[in-house]
Structure formats: structure tokens, C-alpha cells
Amino acid sequence: MLSPTDQIGVYAEQYRLRLPEAVIYELRGLEALLGDALPPLVAQYLQHYPSQTWTLDRVADQFEEFLASIHAPVEQTDMARLDIAVSHAFTAPDARTFDASTLQAETQLVLQPPVVLLELSTSVFRTRSAALSGLDLPEMEFADFRVVLFRPERKIRHLVLADAAYKLLNAFKTPTSLADGLQTLSQDAFTANALAANLGDWMRTFAKSRILGPPA
Amino acid sequence: MFRQGWLQDLMMKRPAVSRFAVPDLGIGVGYRVPHYRQVVEEQPEMDWFEVLSENFMVDGGSPRHWLRELAKRYPLVLHGVATSLGGEGDPGHLRRLAALVAEVRPPWVSDHLCFTGSHTANAHDLLPLPYTPEVRDHVIGRIREVSEAVGTLYAVENVSSYLSWKASEVPEWEFLTQVVEGADCGILLDVNNVFVSSVNHGFDPMEYINNIPLDRVVQIHLAGHSIKDGYRLDTHDGPVCDEVWELYAAVIQRMGSVSTLIEWDGDVPEFSRLQQEANQARTIRDAALLALV
Ligand SMILES: [Fe+2]
């Protein structure tokens, strides 16, 4: 028979095994980036952010906040944000479709539930894609990237967007008619010109990829 | 050629011992990620599946897709790990569970006789309760609350445990009996957990089996466990051991055939290996039924 201390120890040991594994499972990009340097960070994270949710899917949600608090490099905070965004998009409500050819000025559109807009300072999305495909990690690029994550069916995909396309998507965070959405962007001449040249292509892409769609 | 399950059908001409009008689903296995696609696309032989409720209590995407496809092909039952019947209850969890039950419409829903955390911290573990009247009454209230929300038969499962509380006033089997009778719910009898706890706490597993209301058992769990230094750990990562098979046979001899499920969650093998384990359970069940005649 175990002593009382050893009895508690069984549960403590199980916690120390299970929780870090669950956190790392949600941080696959960061795992590729940091390798063996990740588990000590996860142990530290769990000390400061013990799980407060019933679902293991959400145990890593504060990891970007934790990394920022210890002044981790920007590619690490970017990657944590990307990993968590992927995790949310993976189980978000399914996206709805619309036919871009039927678009009217009054058509109401909204970003679909699995869509996440990200402003990143590093090319972590390339690193993550390469790692998950088993490829060599590309060199990290430090620049402003506007990225949209979306889930047309079950797999998460991403696109790197031109500034005007990113602004266009931002105009549909809540249900908005096409005319009103475009109106908010017309003040800025540079954006307006880019939209004039590309709107048709972009809307077809957003429709096909189920990035924009009808409200619920 | 006899069709599969003929012996079971013959035996089941005996009056059912269960007080609940639930079907005997046969022998099933847990639906686990490595087999999601294979099970749906190849429809391998299996009587039924148990799915972990929390894995599917999400809004959409891949998990819901595979669950919808599974439900078109096999009978299934929902089994949770995070209701925390000994704890306070999370309205968000309960709302999602009720929505999932409404969609899947399983013959029963189950979770564990335990708590999973304290105050706001979640241990993501099945922590054993002190067996006191206060805790019993709290758990009975929680089971009633959850049963009402899900609107279907509820069953509680005995857990494997590695510690016992000084405050406990009755043995686990008596606590379980008081809880299920007080809440008028079913039992998911985990035979492996009875065995693991019997070794860890030094009681006779048959005393456990002989002192719970078997007419409330709607389902059995079987699983493998690990032998550690000084205790047994419920790991679900290997085949069922001989002692647990013997205990299973003893339960079947006392209550007749009942829906039985093999849990295999760690080092998940090929699906064909799970089928073998299910066939082993079928053989042992049928032999036990024959011995009962
Ligand atoms: Fe179990």
C-alpha cells in the first residue's frame, strides 16, 4: 500500500505528464520552432496559468500572453498566436457559402466563423506549414504580414493578403452590406485604387474559400 | 453457419435483469482519432462505439464531421470525462453536452463518480471523492441536474483510484449504491477500475461486485492497466488482463449479457487488434452465459 504522500504523488505525476502534453499538442508550430526549449517554457506556463477550463483544447490559450510577459522574441509570440488561432478555427462552426456571381450592392456578408485575421511581424506561417509538411524550415523573414486563416471544409488554410484585401475583410467583421463595406474603404485613395483593380478576383476567392459568406 | 451473436440472443430469452429498458448493444470499442476515417470509410465489423463527449462538444469542423458520419453507420453512446459530478458544475459544459445529446440521441449518457478540480483549477483527472453523506447528497443533486438537462438515461462510472480519504465513512461500493439509488440512475461498471482499485486499496473485488445493484448496470468497461512500483495505474494502453477477464465473466454470470466496451486510449493499435480484443470479450461473455444455464 502507498503512503499518503505517494498516493497524492500518483496524481501529481499524472498531472505533470498530461498537462504539458496537452499544451504542446496545441502549439505545434512553436514546437517546431523551439524544439527541446519548449517543454521548460510549458512547465513555467502551467505554473502561472493552471487550466481553468473543462476542455483540453483551450489549455494553451494564454501562451502568447505568457510569452509576452517573459519578453520572448517576436517570432515566438507570433507563432503562439498562429497556433492558437488555428486551434480555434479547427472547431469553429462550419462556414456558409455564397455565389459570388449573385453579389448585389445590398448583399449582406460577414467573415465566416472559422476565419481569423492576423497581423504578424514574422513569416511564422511559412515555418509552420513547412514543419507540418515535414519540410526543412525556411529562414524567418521579419516584415509586416497580413494573413487570413480559413477553413473551407475541415482543413485549415491561409492566405497572405495585400493590405487593401486585408482592410476589405476587416470591413465585414459584423454583417455588413457590400456597399457599406466598400464605402468605409473609399476614403483612402490607395486602398480604393487597389479595390477597383482587384475587387472581382478577391470576392471570387473569398467566396470560393468560404472566407466571406452570408450571416447565420 | 450461425450468425454472429446467436448465442447471446438465445441466452437473452431469459428475462432481462436490468430495471432500465436499454438495449444490449453487444461488444464495442471507443472511437479514437487514429481510426476516425478508417471506421467511417471501411465500416469494419463492430457492434457499437462509445465516443468521448468532450471531444465532440465543439461547434463544427472535423470532430463533428466524423461523429455525424459514425452515427449514420453504428449505434453509439456518449461518455464524458469532465462533468465533475463531485464538483460544482459548469453551465457552459452542460449546455454543450445537452446539445450534443439532442443531436446524437444515445440510449444513455455517462460520466464518472469523481471530481475533476477545485475552485477554478481543473486537474483534467478523475479524482476520487470522500465517501460521506454530504458528498453523496451533493452528487445525487448534481446527477439529477445533469440528467434533467440531457433528458436521457444517465449512468455513473466507478473510477480507478490511488488515494482514499480519511473522511470516508463507507466503502466505495456502498457509496456508489447510495448514489445511484438516490439519483435513480444507471451504473457504468468499469470492471478494470474495480480490479485496479481493489489492488491499490486492498479489498476483494468480488465483494464490490456482490454489493452493488447489478440491475442498474447498463454498460461495462474493460481496459488494460499498468503495474507500477506498489500500485496499479489505469492506463488504457494495452490488452485486458486475465484477472479482469475473470471478473467480467463473474459479472456476466450474475447479471446476464450487457453492453460491453473495450477502452484502449494510449498506444492505440490497429483497428484489427481492437476487433480481436472485442472478440475475446464476446467469447468470454458467451462462455459465462453458457455456464449460467
Ligand atoms: Fe472506464
Side-chain angles (χ1 to χ4, degrees), chain B residues 113-131:
Chain B
L113 188 56
C114 71
F115 70 113
T116 60
S118 177
H119 302 91
T120 57
N122 200 312
H124 299 280
D125 205 343
L126 308 171
L127 307 169
L129 297 165
Y131 304 138

Side-chain angles (χ1 to χ4, degrees), chain B residues 18-33:
Chain B
S18 175
R19 65 170 57 224
F20 304 111
V22 291
D24 173 4
L25 300 173
I27 312 287
V29 296
Y31 188 47
R32 299 295 177 260
V33 176

Side-chain angles (χ1 to χ4, degrees), chain A:
Chain A
M1 296 291 247
L2 298 175
S3 70
T5 314
D6 288 343
Q7 291 185 358
I8 289 280
V10 175
Y11 291 96
E13 171 75 4
Q14 289 305 304
Y15 183 85
R16 277 195 294 267
L17 288 173
R18 184 183 304 110
L19 269 289
E21 194 181 294
V23 172
I24 291 170
Y25 184 81
E26 298 299 328
L27 300 172
R28 293 170 69 187
L30 208 54
E31 189 183 20
L33 193 65
L34 293 177
D36 291 344
L38 182 59
L41 284 174
V42 170
Q44 207 183 332
Y45 166 74
L46 284 167
Q47 292 278 325
H48 292 92
Y49 297 86
S51 174
Q52 301 200 325
T53 149
W54 53 268
T55 168
L56 286 171
D57 291 352
R58 301 276 65 87
V59 286
D61 275 12
Q62 282 84 36
F63 212 83
E64 185 197 352
E65 187 182 313
F66 161 72
L67 287 176
S69 76
I70 59 166
H71 309 292
V74 65
E75 67 272 24
Q76 293 182 22
T77 50
D78 268 6
M79 188 65 97
R81 193 184 326 154
L82 178 60
D83 278 333
I84 300 306
V86 168
S87 172
H88 280 266
F90 187 68
T91 53
D94 298 341
R96 296 169 296 275
T97 48
F98 81 102
D99 180 353
S101 66
T102 64
L103 265 184
Q104 306 280 330
E106 63 276 12
T107 307
Q108 291 270 321
L109 293 172
V110 70
L111 288 181
Q112 291 302 288
V115 171
V116 186
L117 299 176
L118 294 168
E119 294 180 27
L120 301 167
S121 308
T122 58
S123 59
V124 287
F125 49 90
R126 278 186 217 135
T127 312
R128 194 176 193 280
S129 297
L132 267 55
S133 309
L135 303 172
D136 288 342
L137 303 190
E139 187 142 344
M140 191 70 72
E141 192 182 333
F142 293 81
D144 288 339
F145 294 102
R146 306 279 182 258
V147 176
V148 58
L149 293 188
F150 55 103
R151 201 193 76 216
E153 285 177 342
R154 299 196 300 278
K155 284 212 171 88
I156 309 281
R157 305 191 184 282
H158 75 261
L159 284 173
V160 182
L161 298 175
D163 197 49
Y166 188 79
K167 284 184 177 152
L168 176 64
L169 288 182
N170 259 298
F172 294 96
K173 280 187 163 169
T174 55
T176 305
S177 72
L178 182 59
D180 288 348
L182 292 174
Q183 180 66 33
T184 59
L185 302 172
S186 62
Q187 318 301 333
D188 161 14
F190 184 78
T191 303
N193 284 340
L195 284 174
N198 299 295
L199 186 64
D201 283 349
W202 287 348
M203 290 311 276
R204 271 188 291 280
T205 301
F206 296 156
K208 192 164 79 92
S209 307
R210 302 189 187 180
I211 292 171
L212 284 178

Side-chain angles (χ1 to χ4, degrees), chain B residues 87-275:
Chain B
E88 287 161 8
D90 177 324
H93 178 275
L94 190 53
R95 203 169 39 245
R96 282 185 180 270
L97 178 63
L100 188 66
V101 171
E103 188 180 318
V104 173
R105 297 175 162 275
W108 63 87
V109 179
S110 59
D111 206 314
H112 301 81
L113 188 56
C114 71
F115 70 113
T116 60
S118 177
H119 302 91
T120 57
N122 200 312
H124 299 280
D125 205 343
L126 308 171
L127 307 169
L129 297 165
Y131 304 138
T132 66
E134 294 78 14
V135 175
R136 174 199 65 202
D137 293 346
H138 172 77
V139 172
I140 288 171
R142 290 274 293 122
I143 295 173
R144 287 198 181 127
E145 176 196 3
V146 177
S147 310
E148 202 166 299
V150 299
T152 190
L153 177 63
Y154 200 75
V156 292
E157 175 181 354
N158 57 300
V159 296
S160 279
S161 64
Y162 316 101
L163 69 75
S164 51
W165 300 93
K166 273 188 180 169
S168 288
E169 294 174 20
V170 293
E172 182 179 317
W173 52 88
E174 200 172 320
F175 184 77
L176 173 64
T177 301
Q178 289 177 10
V179 164
V180 295
E181 287 178 349
D184 193 18
C185 69
I187 296 174
L188 194 179
L189 179 62
D190 190 314
V191 176
N192 176 61
N193 288 348
V194 170
F195 180 74
V196 164
S197 291
S198 78
V199 176
N200 292 344
H201 303 300
F203 62 77
D204 175 0
M206 282 314 299
E207 192 175 356
Y208 197 119
I209 302 300
N210 287 332
N211 284 289
I212 56 169
L214 291 176
D215 63 340
R216 289 186 180 272
V217 173
V218 294
Q219 183 189 334
I220 283 177
H221 268 173
L222 298 168
H225 65 261
S226 302
I227 302 176
K228 300 284 185 183
D229 188 13
Y231 67 103
R232 306 278 178 132
L233 186 65
D234 182 34
T235 44
H236 296 189
D237 60 355
V240 178
C241 72
D242 289 347
E243 295 99 319
V244 171
W245 284 129
E246 278 172 32
L247 210 50
Y248 174 56
V251 172
I252 296 297
Q253 281 174 9
R254 279 161 180 73
M255 66 170 295
S257 184
V258 62
S259 302
T260 298
L261 185 113
I262 310 282
E263 298 183 286
W264 199 319
D265 302 313
D267 297 333
V268 179
E270 297 280 300
F271 195 79
S272 57
R273 179 67 189 85
L274 297 184
Q275 288 175 307

